[in-house]
Amino acid sequence: MTEENPKVTKLPIEGKRNILITSALPYVNNVPHLGNIIGCVLSADVFARYCRLRGYNAIYICGTDEYGTATETKALEENCSPKQICDKYHAIHKEVYNWFNISFDEFGRTSSPQQTEVCQAIFKRLYDNKWLSENTMQQLYCDTCEKFLADRLVEGDCPTPGCEYDSARGDQCEKCGKLLNPTELKKPRCKVCRNSPRIRDTDHLFLELPLLKDRLEKYINEMSVVGLWSQNAIQTTNSWLREGLKQRCITRDLKWGVPVPHEKYSDKVFYVWFDAPIGYVSITSCYTPEWEKWWKNPENVELYQFMGKDNVPFHTVMFPSSLLGTGENWTLMKTISVTEYLNYEAGKFSKSKGIGVFGNDAKDTGIPVEVWRYYLLTNRPEVSDTLFTWSDLQAKLNSELLNNLGNFINRVLSFIAKPAGQGYDSIIPAIPDDVSDDSHELTKKLANEVSANLEQYIDAMEKVKLKQGLKIAMSISSEGNRYLQEAEFWRLYKDNKSLCSLVMKTAVGIVYLLACLLEPFIPSFTLEVFKQLNLSPETHLSLCDEKGDIDRAKRPWEIISAGHKIGKPQPLFRELKDEEVEFYREKFAGSQADRIVRAEAEKVAEQLKKTKVSDGSGKKQSSAKSSKEAKNKAVAEPDISITRLDIRVGLIKKAEKHPAADTLYVEEIDVGEEQPRTVVSGLVNYIPLDEMQNRKVCVLCNLKPVTMRGIKSHAMVLAASNDSKVELVEPPTDARVGERVTFPGHEGNPDEILNPKKKVFETLQVDLHSNDELVACYKDVPLTTSAGICKVSSIRGGSIK
C-alpha cells in the first residue's frame, strides 16, 4: 500500500454486526481450478461482499496453505526448495484470485513467522492443560535418505485383495481408492531413491480427542442449530462422532513445517491438519496486531467459514477441539457453508492430474470475469455435485446475461440517452403531478413484486443460500423486461409522456437495484453499470437498513433523482458463438500436460513454416532437379538423414528380468504390427520393473536384430541419460501406438533395416538429446507425434540412445 492509499484496518465495533469470514486455505502445489475457486474463495467472497453491501463490519481472511508433505514432494519434482515452491505458487494463486475479483481483506501464508508464533502458543496451552499424550508409532525409515518417510514419499503394492496395484501411495491407493498406512504396503519403495525402507519406531504427540468429546459435542449441538449449518456439514460431523473420536497425531517427521517447541520433539514439525486451520488466526495477526479482538471475542464476532466437503471434519471436529482445549475464550465457528464437487464435462476436475479449466485458463479465454463468476455461482454445488460444460456456460451467458439482464439495462439506458424528441437526452425525467405509482397498476404490481423479491433475497443471503440469492436477483431483471414490454414505453412516449416518465424513472431505479443486488456475484458488471448510470460506487453502492436503502428500493421510482445525467450506454455482454465453444472444448480437453505438449508442437510447426530453406550460399534452393541429378541420387548411398530412422510410438505390454542377465529387461512391445516385438534393454539399474509395465515409449524399429545373452532383440527403446541417471523418452499419452515419430522440416522414408556397416544411427545419435525444456530433440527439432512432442521427466542436456 502507498501512503496515499493506506490500508484501512477494521476492528470489531460494539453494537454492530461484526462478521469474520474465512475460506479454506488453498494448497500451494498447483494452480487452482474452477472447482477449487467455487468451493471456497469465490463463495466466501460473495458473502463478504454481501455483508459490506448491507453495512456490516466484515473482514475476509484467506491465504495459501504451505506446509506439509505435498509441498516437499512437489519441491522434489521441480528440483527446488519447498520455500521456492511456495513463493512460486503463492504468487500464482494471488494473481488468479485478483483476476477473479476476490476481495480479501488479507491474503496471507502459513509459512510466516506469525504462524509459528500462534501455532506454538496453542500447542503450549494444550500441553499444559494435559490434552496431549505421547505414543510410539511404527513408521517407514529410509536408510539411504536417512529420514522417516511421510505417506506420500512411499509407494508400493496395494495390499487390498484383488487390487494389488503396484504404484499405490502410502496414504491411498489411486486404483481402488482404499485409504492406507505406509506400513501396510507390500514391497514399499522410497520415492526419492527407490530403495526399500524399513519399519522403525518413532515417538509422536497426540491430541486426546476422546477426552474433549463432551465439550466438543456441546459446541456442535448448539452452534449447528444457531448457525444453520448446511446439511452436508452436519451429516459428515455426525458420522465422525458416531464412529467414535480417536487420538489424532499432531506431529510429523518432516523438516518443512512449524517446529514443535518441545525438547524431545525438536526434530519434528506439526502435522498439517493441526497447523493449517490455525493459519486463519495467524493471517489475521498479519492483518492487525489486535487480532485477538476478532478471534477471542465470541460475544461480539460471528465466524463464517467456507470450504469443500472434504474439509468439513477439520473445521467441525479438529480445529474447535484444539481451541476448546486451550481453555481460552476463542471465537468458534458459527456458520459453515460447504460445497460438494464441481465436475468437468465427462469427468472430475483434478489438480494432481491437471484435468479441467484452471484459473489462468479462464483468464486466457478472453471470456470476461463476470461471466465466469456468474456461471460458477449459478452452478454452485450446494447440495449435490454439479457439472461444468461449455455448452451450459454458453447457454447461461447468451440467455440469462445477454438476453435477459443485459437487454433490460441496455433498453432502459439507451432510451433515456436518446436526444430530446426521441428520448430524454440522458437526463432522468421528473414525474409530473398528473401521474403517480398508485394510479398505474403495472408500476404498483412491479413495486410489490420487487419488494417481495428483495425480502427473499436478503433471507437467502443471510442463510448463505448464495445460488438462491442470485436466482432471485435475476428474476427482478425478468420482471423489469416484462414491465417494459407491457407498459409499451415507446408508445407512451408519443401518447402519454407523463406516464412514460414514471415508467422510465421506475425502470432506471430497477437498473440501479440490480447493480446493487448483483454486486456480490458479478462486481465488475456492477462497476460498469454504475459508470453508465454516472454514479459513484463508493457513495451509492449500498443496501443498508440504517440508511433506508431497503425501504427506498421498494419504491424504485424514488431511487435516482430527477435531473441526474446518466453516462454513455454500452452493451454489457457479448454472445458466445458455437464455434468458440467448440474451440474451447477442444483446447481444454485432456490434462494440462497434454495441452502443453500440443501447444509446443503447434509452436514448432508454426516456426518451421516461417523458416526458409537455403543451400548454404544464402540462396534459396530450387525445388526442381535435373533428371541427371535425380538418376545419380537414386544410385548413390542416401544422405544420412534423421528420416532414415524408423522411430515409432510403442506400448510395453509386458516387461520382466532377463533370465540370464542381472542388468537386462526383456519387453514385449506393441509397435502397431500383428505381433509385439521382443526387445532387450539394459535398464534394470535405472528404472524399476513396475515402471516398465504398460507405458508408452519411443522405439527404434529398424536396427538389425541382435542376440543379447540368448534372446534376440528386434528393436531399441530410446532413453536419455546423463552422468547419474537414465530416463525413458516418452510420447504424449494420447499418441497412437504404432505411429511414426517425425521431425518437422525433414521429409523422407526410413530404411527397411539400417546397415550397421554404414553407422547411420551412430552418426545421427550424436545430435539426439533432451533440451532445457525437457523436449527430446534431433538438433533443435523435437521428436513429434500427432498428439504432440516427446519429452523426458527431468534430464536436461541428456544424450538420447
Side-chain angles (χ1 to χ4, degrees):
M1 291 286 176
T2 62
E3 288 185 13
E4 294 80 16
N5 187 24
K7 183 169 97 173
V8 177
T9 301
K10 288 178 274 187
L11 293 173
I13 300 168
E14 194 77 34
K16 289 201 77 169
R17 275 196 77 182
N18 301 296
I19 300 180
L20 173 57
I21 300 160
T22 72
S23 63
L25 307 181
Y27 208 80
V28 286
N29 62 341
N30 207 328
V31 181
H33 58 59
L34 298 185
N36 304 135
I37 290 167
I38 186 58
C40 50
V41 295
L42 178 55
S43 297
D45 181 63
V46 172
F47 188 67
R49 287 177 178 276
Y50 166 76
C51 290
R52 297 181 194 120
L53 186 68
R54 297 279 285 131
Y56 305 153
N57 186 39
I59 63 169
Y60 177 17
I61 300 296
C62 190
T64 42
D65 180 5
E66 303 192 350
Y67 284 139
T69 313
T71 307
E72 287 198 355
T73 307
K74 189 74 173 177
L76 282 169
E77 285 175 16
E78 298 198 11
N79 197 27
C80 61
S81 70
K83 184 179 186 307
Q84 286 172 317
I85 282 287
C86 294
D87 290 346
K88 172 184 173 181
Y89 283 103
H90 175 81
I92 290 171
H93 275 256
K94 198 167 184 179
E95 183 180 350
V96 167
Y97 302 141
N98 283 343
W99 187 78
F100 269 91
N101 289 327
I102 308 297
S103 60
F104 304 115
D105 287 272
E106 186 74 24
F107 184 72
R109 313 175 63 166
T110 60
S111 61
S112 68
Q114 290 88 342
Q115 173 77 354
T116 300
E117 183 182 339
V118 177
C119 195
Q120 290 182 345
I122 289 173
F123 163 78
K124 286 172 182 172
R125 295 284 300 194
L126 290 169
Y127 189 83
D128 291 344
N129 292 345
K130 299 185 170 32
W131 296 117
L132 300 178
S133 60
E134 300 181 58
N135 271 312
T136 300
M137 296 173 65
Q138 289 194 320
Q139 204 168 325
L140 292 175
Y141 183 85
C142 178
D143 288 300
T144 307
C145 298
E146 296 184 327
K147 66 178 182 180
F148 285 99
L149 298 179
D151 304 349
R152 295 195 182 191
L153 290 178
V154 187
E155 63 182 16
D157 295 358
C158 178
T160 307
C163 176
E164 294 159 0
Y165 177 53
D166 59 6
S167 295
R169 287 197 326 236
D171 57 349
Q172 187 174 21
C173 174
E174 284 192 321
K175 184 178 179 184
C176 71
K178 184 176 175 62
L179 296 175
L180 301 169
N181 288 316
T183 52
E184 295 178 282
L185 291 173
K186 297 178 181 177
K187 301 177 186 173
R189 299 178 301 278
C190 170
K191 285 187 76 172
V192 179
C193 69
R194 315 303 305 177
N195 289 324
S196 298
R198 62 186 173 89
I199 294 177
R200 197 174 118 177
D201 287 348
T202 176
D203 292 337
H204 282 283
L205 288 162
F206 289 73
L207 179 62
E208 288 289 346
L209 288 176
L211 301 180
L212 288 159
K213 182 174 180 286
D214 291 344
R215 299 182 186 204
L216 180 66
E217 284 190 337
K218 181 175 183 291
Y219 156 73
I220 290 170
N221 292 336
E222 289 177 5
M223 205 58 84
S224 60
V225 176
V226 173
L228 300 171
W229 287 14
S230 53
Q231 200 56 41
N232 43 13
I234 293 171
Q235 288 169 351
T236 302
T237 306
N238 287 341
S239 171
W240 271 64
L241 294 175
R242 274 196 309 272
E243 289 174 9
L245 296 176
K246 301 173 180 65
Q247 294 177 323
R248 295 287 295 194
C249 184
I250 67 167
T251 52
R252 294 276 260 177
D253 288 296
L254 290 174
K255 298 298 179 192
W256 183 244
V258 174
V260 178
H262 187 291
E263 188 177 353
K264 181 178 176 182
Y265 298 97
S266 58
D267 59 341
K268 302 181 192 295
V269 299
F270 288 114
Y271 210 142
V272 71
W273 74 258
F274 176 78
D275 143 68
I278 294 171
Y280 301 131
V281 184
S282 73
I283 293 168
T284 311
S285 77
C286 296
Y287 171 70
T288 172
E290 297 181 84
W291 60 271
E292 291 186 349
K293 291 184 177 179
W294 284 105
W295 280 101
K296 294 183 179 180
N297 190 3
E299 297 79 17
N300 292 306
V301 175
E302 303 168 60
L303 173 58
Y304 284 71
Q305 299 198 283
F306 290 77
M307 68 206 66
K309 62 181 176 183
D310 50 347
N311 263 316
V312 169
F314 301 106
H315 291 77
T316 61
V317 177
M318 314 291 195
F319 187 40
S321 295
S322 298
L323 299 181
L324 288 167
T326 66
E328 296 176 297
N329 193 31
W330 286 94
T331 303
L332 298 177
M333 178 180 65
K334 175 189 173 185
T335 299
I336 182 172
S337 179
V338 178
T339 54
E340 302 289 315
Y341 294 135
L342 175 69
N343 295 323
Y344 179 71
E345 291 282 349
K348 286 188 174 182
F349 278 94
S350 171
K351 277 207 299 184
S352 59
K353 295 176 183 174
I355 293 171
V357 180
F358 286 69
N360 51 342
D361 297 331
K363 180 181 177 182
D364 293 343
T365 61
I367 297 172
V369 64
E370 59 267 24
V371 175
W372 286 107
R373 284 182 61 120
Y374 179 81
Y375 179 68
L376 290 173
L377 289 159
T378 59
N379 225 8
R380 185 174 186 250
E382 292 183 350
V383 293
S384 61
D385 293 355
T386 57
L387 185 64
F388 173 102
T389 68
W390 286 101
S391 54
D392 188 35
L393 182 144
Q394 177 192 28
K396 285 190 165 61
L397 165 54
N398 293 349
S399 173
E400 297 173 19
L401 290 177
L402 178 63
N403 294 339
N404 176 7
L405 181 64
N407 178 57
F408 170 69
I409 293 171
N410 197 252
R411 285 178 84 189
V412 173
L413 298 186
S414 294
F415 188 75
I416 291 172
K418 285 182 178 180
Q422 299 174 41
Y424 294 94
D425 204 18
S426 297
I427 305 297
I428 304 297
I431 301 174
D433 294 337
D434 59 338
V435 294
S436 71
D437 57 283
D438 285 335
S439 64
H440 189 234
E441 282 302 316
L442 275 179
T443 301
K444 191 193 301 185
K445 179 186 171 190
L446 176 70
N448 290 336
E449 288 171 340
V450 168
S451 179
N453 279 327
L454 192 54
E455 288 174 6
Q456 291 169 21
Y457 170 88
I458 291 170
D459 182 63
M461 297 298 284
E462 291 292 337
K463 292 175 180 174
V464 202
K465 295 181 177 178
L466 307 182
K467 188 154 66 170
Q468 185 181 337
L470 177 55
K471 185 178 179 182
I472 293 165
M474 288 296 288
S475 71
I476 294 176
S477 175
S478 301
E479 288 160 6
N481 270 314
R482 189 163 53 249
Y483 175 68
L484 289 181
Q485 208 60 26
E486 291 178 4
E488 297 182 325
F489 64 93
W490 60 92
R491 182 184 58 76
L492 287 178
Y493 188 78
K494 295 175 184 174
D495 301 343
N496 188 342
K497 219 163 200 176
S498 294
L499 189 52
C500 187
S501 295
L502 171 66
V503 168
M504 296 316 295
K505 196 167 188 293
T506 300
V508 81
I510 298 295
V511 169
Y512 166 88
L513 182 59
L514 281 168
C516 288
L517 297 179
L518 290 170
E519 193 276 341
F521 303 95
I522 44 177
S524 54
F525 155 84
T526 296
L527 290 177
E528 179 56 31
V529 173
F530 268 66
K531 180 182 172 185
Q532 294 186 26
L533 285 171
N534 192 26
L535 294 172
S536 161
E538 289 78 13
T539 307
H540 294 90
L541 183 59
S542 176
L543 207 63
C544 185
D545 291 326
E546 290 88 342
K547 296 179 183 176
D549 297 328
I550 303 296
D551 187 50
R552 186 165 54 255
K554 295 175 181 178
R555 301 187 303 280
W557 53 87
E558 293 183 6
I559 291 176
I560 298 183
S561 303
H564 174 76
K565 185 171 184 176
I566 67 168
K568 184 182 178 183
Q570 298 279 1
L572 291 159
F573 302 101
R574 180 185 70 80
E575 181 184 9
L576 190 61
K577 299 185 182 298
D578 291 345
E579 55 268 28
E580 293 176 279
V581 169
E582 193 53 41
F583 170 78
Y584 293 133
R585 188 182 286 116
E586 288 182 14
K587 180 176 180 178
F588 296 108
S591 68
Q592 283 178 309
D594 295 336
R595 293 175 215 162
I596 291 168
V597 164
R598 287 200 302 267
E600 286 174 345
E602 288 166 9
K603 188 165 71 175
V604 167
E606 192 62 34
Q607 287 171 342
L608 287 166
K609 282 181 190 175
K610 299 174 184 176
T611 304
K612 292 184 178 178
V613 181
S614 75
D615 61 4
S617 65
K619 295 179 182 176
K620 195 174 178 182
Q621 285 184 3
S622 167
S623 58
K625 298 282 183 183
S626 69
S627 58
K628 184 177 179 182
E629 286 176 318
K631 279 183 188 175
N632 290 343
K633 190 73 176 174
V635 296
E637 174 67 32
D639 292 336
I640 296 184
S641 161
I642 191 65
T643 58
R644 292 178 63 180
L645 302 186
D646 183 11
I647 302 174
R648 299 185 213 167
V649 174
L651 177 66
I652 300 176
K653 306 291 284 185
K654 178 185 174 185
E656 56 190 16
K657 292 278 187 71
H658 194 299
D662 291 338
T663 61
L664 300 178
Y665 286 132
V666 180
E667 303 113 20
E668 297 296 319
I669 304 181
D670 180 358
V671 290
E673 298 167 340
E674 278 190 17
Q675 297 294 326
R677 292 199 187 192
T678 300
V679 180
V680 180
S681 305
L683 297 169
V684 168
N685 292 334
Y686 303 100
I687 300 171
L689 181 60
D690 64 300
E691 291 186 16
M692 293 291 292
Q693 310 293 339
N694 198 38
R695 72 184 288 177
K696 286 182 180 175
V697 288
C698 291
V699 185
L700 180 57
C701 293
N702 59 343
L703 288 173
K704 186 177 179 180
V706 59
T707 300
M708 300 175 73
R709 302 296 290 270
I711 296 178
K712 185 170 281 190
S713 180
H714 294 271
M716 183 175 79
V717 176
L718 294 186
S721 62
N722 59 19
D723 293 337
S724 60
K725 57 183 173 178
V726 175
E727 293 175 348
L728 295 174
V729 175
E730 296 187 88
T733 53
D734 293 336
R736 193 177 68 255
V737 172
E739 74 167 285
R740 191 176 168 211
V741 174
T742 60
F743 301 82
H746 295 262
E747 302 285 334
N749 296 316
D751 292 10
E752 188 171 334
I753 294 288
L754 293 172
N755 185 341
K757 292 181 180 178
K758 300 297 182 182
K759 304 287 184 185
V760 176
F761 176 70
E762 289 81 354
T763 303
L764 295 167
Q765 188 274 321
V766 174
D767 291 309
L768 286 169
H769 65 99
S770 57
N771 68 13
D772 287 342
E773 283 72 49
L774 305 177
V775 177
C777 294
Y778 169 69
K779 296 184 177 176
D780 292 324
V781 180
L783 279 68
T784 305
T785 72
S786 60
I789 57 182
C790 304
K791 303 187 82 171
V792 298
S793 296
S794 65
I795 297 175
R796 293 177 168 83
S799 173
I800 293 176
K801 54 187 173 184

